[in-house]
Amino acid sequence: MKPGDSVKVADLPIASNPDVDLNTSRDAVVVLVTESHNSALPEEDASEEESEEK
């Protein structure tokens, strides 16, 4: 999957099962793929953390 893709209830195998009654609209979006815009946090020096704990 790529950003912008979505999965709707109708796309799920359970939606085509005649023995299952769905309470949710078949057009309801279950999953939407988006891009993350977060940047990685800088790693802290392990020795700094150890000295702060003492």
Side-chain angles (χ1 to χ4, degrees), residues 29-53:
V29 175
V30 177
V31 175
L32 178 63
V33 179
T34 60
E35 290 187 48
S36 175
H37 296 285
N38 297 335
S39 60
L41 295 174
E43 292 185 28
E44 293 185 28
D45 186 11
S47 62
E48 274 185 33
E49 291 177 8
E50 289 175 3
S51 64
E52 290 176 4
E53 291 176 2

Side-chain angles (χ1 to χ4, degrees), residues 1-33:
M1 295 185 81
K2 60 184 188 282
D5 287 351
S6 64
V7 175
K8 296 184 178 183
V9 171
D11 298 327
L12 301 174
I14 196 168
S16 61
N17 186 333
D19 297 327
V20 175
D21 291 325
L22 297 173
N23 292 330
T24 305
S25 168
R26 295 176 59 82
D27 293 326
V29 175
V30 177
V31 175
L32 178 63
V33 179

